Amino acid sequence: MTKRRSQKAGAKRRSWGLADGLRGLFLLAYLLLAALVIQLMYQNNFLAFRGLNHLLSGVLLVIALVSLYLTVKRRAPKVTMSLLLVMTCFVGALFAGFHSVASIGKNMNKTASYSEIKMSIVVAKDSSLSSIDQVTSVLAPVSTDKSNIKSLMTHLAKEKNLNPSLAEVTSYQTAYESVLANTDQAMVLNSSYSSVLELSYDKYTDKLKTLYTYTIKVKNTNTATAVEGDAFNIYISGIDTFGSISSVSRSDVNIILTVNTKTHKVLLTTTPRDYYVTIPDGGANQKDKLTHAGIYGVETSEKTLEQLYGITINYYARMNFTSFLKLIDLVGGITVYNDQEFTSEYGNYHFAVGNVTLDSDQALAFVRERHGLAGGDNDRGKNQEKVISALIHQLSSLKSISNYQSIANGIQDSIQTNMPMATLMTLANDQLDSGKGYTVSSQAVTGTGSTGELPSYAMPGASLYMMAPDQASVDQAKANIQAVMEGK
């Protein structure tokens, strides 16, 4: 009898030993995941509104202590196991969500750390040359694009053991005209100048064939500038290409967002792409239209605007038309007020006066149009401001914030920014904490437009449309930016 009781007791101890082990494993898993969740939460400012982050940390810590006590003391084993099972699943899901959003921010920051420039050797479409091995000499504007051309030729010598000579020309458009006139000539072509050539030569790529291409990856130096106080400036750059966001290109949309988180004010300042300004860096501090600053990199566009308005730009966000389309769709469309009736060249959409609701394709047509507008490029800039304002209102709504992850997932490959995830989340938290939307206003500088009267550094000799700045409008824009920065 005594022996039988001893066997039963031993079996019972072995059974509880297994159960204890399972509870211990779940406890370790919970403690690890809870620690990772808390780390990610504070590191990226997740849920940092109304003390929710502190509340969640406290709850996770209390559950950890209670579970640890019950497990060590072997109290309420079934309740402890159920609690650990539920909470491990909960913190696991929370960790997956936090990690996903943090990764999105990291990816957007990563693409901001470099730029891609596609360098090619091309000939006329009907040229007898069909292989890079046949090329002995190439036309190239060495004086204005020396480093990129040198990188291409160095790569060509290393990979193909080819050393064609360089015949210097003044610009890419000069090389293009020469190649078409003498079809057996070859030229270097920098992809960032493609959109510049399109201004003078419609569908110019249809007349060329590519013999060799090399993509240069350049490390960007435009790091974020620390914010002092409650206000900061963000440069929004809209490039005119589809595909990789890291591709260097003209900047057709140039908007500065001045944000004051204390007063909940946002001021959008639009500078026309044809504004005649001094461009530093690759622009050699020469005068040219603002859109050409983009072909030297987003940091050059940023510096150009800093000089124009006498401000510090803390962050930038750069998006191409691909991301623009995705963003409009992901927020469920936008509504803007249209103050002049027109039919767009792109898509042939008719826009009546009044409130118009736009899907992605309609929005693209709305911001691209300028020929059908009374004020041309100035009015196009105003329409771009309207769309950006509508997007800000949508993105700052509770519905959009709740869908933040799906929105960010959809555009992470088509947008780059040097704004840290923690800063992005601070803005979202501020919105949720206050429950108030941002008051968005806009302004645009003006000037006098002319064709062929002002020289272009990027396209010497070309007859281009330029806009000489109205200094009074620039000074007023400066004052308005400063007022928002100062909380007025």
Side-chain angles (χ1 to χ4, degrees):
M1 189 73 167
T2 304
K3 185 177 181 181
R4 191 177 297 118
R5 286 179 182 174
S6 178
Q7 288 175 342
K8 287 182 178 180
K12 186 175 182 179
R13 281 196 298 271
R14 285 194 298 272
S15 175
W16 279 110
L18 179 59
D20 288 342
L22 286 174
R23 286 196 301 276
L25 287 174
F26 272 100
L27 177 61
L28 286 175
Y30 170 75
L31 292 175
L32 176 61
L33 288 170
L36 291 172
V37 163
I38 292 173
Q39 180 188 12
L40 283 173
M41 182 168 60
Y42 284 104
Q43 191 176 57
N44 296 281
N45 286 342
F46 295 145
L47 305 179
F49 63 96
R50 300 178 187 176
L52 190 57
N53 55 343
H54 303 314
L55 177 62
L56 179 59
S57 296
V59 170
L60 295 181
L61 181 59
V62 168
I63 291 174
L65 292 174
V66 170
S67 300
L68 181 61
Y69 173 80
L70 293 175
T71 301
V72 171
K73 294 295 185 179
R74 304 173 76 176
R75 302 280 181 85
K78 292 183 179 180
V79 173
T80 306
M81 190 65 182
S82 298
L83 177 64
L84 286 172
L85 182 60
V86 170
M87 291 307 301
T88 300
C89 292
F90 172 72
V91 292
L94 205 56
F95 170 74
F98 283 175
H99 184 266
S100 175
V101 175
S103 296
I104 289 168
K106 185 178 180 181
N107 288 339
M108 290 192 293
N109 290 159
K110 183 179 179 180
T111 59
S113 66
Y114 65 90
S115 297
E116 293 179 339
I117 302 171
K118 186 180 292 184
M119 300 293 293
S120 303
I121 293 180
V122 301
V123 294
K125 192 171 185 178
D126 54 353
S127 172
S128 62
L129 300 177
S130 58
S131 170
I132 186 63
D133 299 330
Q134 299 172 294
V135 176
T136 58
S137 176
V138 290
L139 303 175
V142 178
S143 60
T144 57
D145 198 18
K146 184 177 181 179
S147 62
N148 291 322
I149 293 171
K150 182 180 179 181
S151 294
L152 169 64
M153 302 311 291
T154 300
H155 181 81
L156 189 60
K158 181 180 179 181
E159 297 298 320
K160 293 286 188 178
N161 197 29
L162 296 174
N163 293 280
S165 61
L166 292 175
E168 185 164 0
V169 291
T170 57
S171 63
Y172 280 109
Q173 62 265 34
T174 301
Y176 176 72
E177 291 174 356
S178 181
V179 163
L180 293 189
N182 182 355
T183 58
D184 281 339
Q185 281 189 324
M187 66 171 282
V188 172
L189 180 60
N190 182 330
S191 62
S192 61
Y193 283 79
S194 294
S195 53
V196 176
L197 292 174
E198 286 173 353
L199 294 175
S200 300
Y201 313 101
D202 187 40
K203 297 180 180 179
Y204 81 97
T205 54
D206 293 345
K207 299 176 183 178
L208 298 174
K209 65 180 175 182
T210 302
L211 301 183
Y212 189 80
T213 297
Y214 168 57
T215 299
I216 301 172
K217 203 169 183 178
V218 181
K219 184 177 181 179
N220 289 339
T221 58
N222 51 327
T223 55
T225 303
V227 175
E228 297 181 1
D230 302 306
F232 53 90
N233 293 303
I234 307 172
Y235 168 48
I236 304 295
S237 172
I239 63 174
D240 62 348
T241 59
F242 289 86
S244 173
I245 185 61
S246 297
S247 299
V248 173
S249 174
R250 287 186 313 174
S251 183
D252 271 359
V253 177
N254 299 277
I255 297 176
I256 297 170
L257 269 71
T258 304
V259 182
N260 191 307
T261 57
K262 185 175 181 180
T263 61
H264 278 74
K265 288 184 178 180
V266 175
L267 174 64
L268 283 72
T269 302
T270 294
T271 310
R273 69 173 190 168
D274 296 316
Y275 227 46
Y276 199 57
V277 292
T278 300
I279 300 177
D281 298 338
N285 289 312
Q286 300 297 308
K287 293 280 189 178
D288 208 335
K289 58 167 61 184
L290 175 60
T291 187
H292 288 174
I295 65 179
Y296 309 116
V298 65
E299 63 271 22
T300 300
S301 295
E302 194 173 310
K303 290 178 183 178
T304 301
L305 292 171
E306 286 182 327
Q307 290 180 3
L308 179 64
Y309 295 110
I311 61 173
T312 296
I313 295 176
N314 304 92
Y315 310 108
Y316 81 85
R318 184 171 179 262
M319 61 180 74
N320 58 18
F321 286 137
T322 306
S323 60
F324 178 78
L325 293 174
K326 288 180 179 178
L327 189 56
I328 297 293
D329 284 335
L330 286 167
V331 299
I334 57 173
T335 299
V336 299
Y337 182 81
N338 181 38
D339 53 17
Q340 57 180 300
E341 183 178 9
F342 68 93
T343 299
S344 65
E345 289 182 309
Y346 172 83
N348 197 36
Y349 292 110
H350 179 74
F351 298 102
V353 173
N355 287 328
V356 291
T357 299
L358 308 173
D359 61 19
S360 60
D361 205 50
Q362 292 167 332
L364 181 59
F366 190 77
V367 300
R368 270 185 167 178
E369 186 64 31
R370 64 171 172 163
H371 294 125
L373 303 177
D377 199 52
N378 278 336
D379 284 347
R380 178 170 70 167
K382 293 176 182 177
N383 284 346
Q384 291 166 352
E385 288 178 345
K386 292 173 184 177
V387 170
I388 295 294
S389 296
L391 279 171
I392 290 174
H393 282 303
Q394 286 283 74
L395 291 170
S396 64
S397 69
L398 290 176
K399 179 181 178 182
S400 291
I401 290 176
S402 67
N403 294 330
Y404 174 78
Q405 186 173 341
S406 62
I407 291 172
N409 268 321
I411 63 171
Q412 64 173 318
D413 293 331
S414 299
I415 188 169
Q416 60 180 194
T417 179
N418 61 353
M419 179 182 287
M421 173 57 69
T423 303
L424 284 168
M425 291 311 304
T426 296
L427 293 176
N429 291 327
D430 180 69
Q431 166 66 21
L432 289 167
D433 193 33
S434 66
K436 298 192 308 181
Y438 278 80
T439 300
V440 182
S441 58
S442 61
Q443 62 178 352
V445 292
T446 59
T448 303
S450 62
T451 300
E453 295 185 12
L454 298 172
S456 165
Y457 175 74
M459 297 183 68
S463 181
L464 302 177
Y465 178 81
M466 304 278 198
M467 182 181 291
D470 175 3
Q471 191 57 44
S473 75
V474 174
D475 291 339
Q476 185 60 57
K478 288 181 180 179
N480 293 338
I481 291 173
Q482 192 61 34
V484 173
M485 293 288 289
E486 293 175 355
K488 297 178 181 178

